[in-house]
Amino acid sequence: INKGIVRGIYHFSNEGVCSWYDFTVAIHRLAGITTCKVKPLHTAEYPAKANRPAYSVLDKTKIKTTFDIEIPHWEESLKQCIDKMMKDE
């Protein structure tokens, strides 16, 4: 914000890498969900209309260097989100 408008395309996501399976397992663990078992599924087994790459992550170098920011790990942000949702219930 202090740098004003810096034109360009910036990618942003939390640090770290996870699959949808990893993400779901973390949600269950952090939320204390024990009533169902999460099973992994390969992309080829899911009937998606669009083709999906086998491995895809965003390069956040540009936004981190332009704005001199640190980005938290995805699991840290997920924990904060779940804690807030459970508090607001």
Side-chain angles (χ1 to χ4, degrees), residues 6-24:
V6 181
R7 294 185 183 272
I9 296 172
Y10 296 90
H11 297 290
F12 186 93
S13 64
N14 284 106
E15 292 290 3
V17 175
C18 71
S19 66
W20 284 109
Y21 170 77
D22 297 328
F23 190 58
T24 305

Side-chain angles (χ1 to χ4, degrees), residues 22-33 74 78 82:
D22 297 328
F23 190 58
T24 305
V25 168
I27 290 169
H28 283 229
R29 180 175 42 79
L30 293 169
I33 298 169
W74 67 266
L78 177 62
I82 289 175

Side-chain angles (χ1 to χ4, degrees), residues 26 29-30 73-86:
R29 180 175 42 79
L30 293 169
H73 190 270
W74 67 266
E75 203 162 351
E76 179 184 327
S77 295
L78 177 62
K79 181 176 182 337
Q80 289 177 7
C81 179
I82 289 175
D83 288 347
K84 181 173 180 0
M85 289 173 68
M86 293 177 83

Side-chain angles (χ1 to χ4, degrees), residues 17-55:
V17 175
C18 71
S19 66
W20 284 109
Y21 170 77
D22 297 328
F23 190 58
T24 305
V25 168
I27 290 169
H28 283 229
R29 180 175 42 79
L30 293 169
I33 298 169
T34 59
T35 56
C36 65
K37 180 172 173 62
V38 178
K39 296 180 182 180
L41 177 72
H42 291 282
T43 300
E45 299 173 90
Y46 187 77
K49 291 183 180 182
N51 290 332
R52 302 288 183 209
Y55 181 77

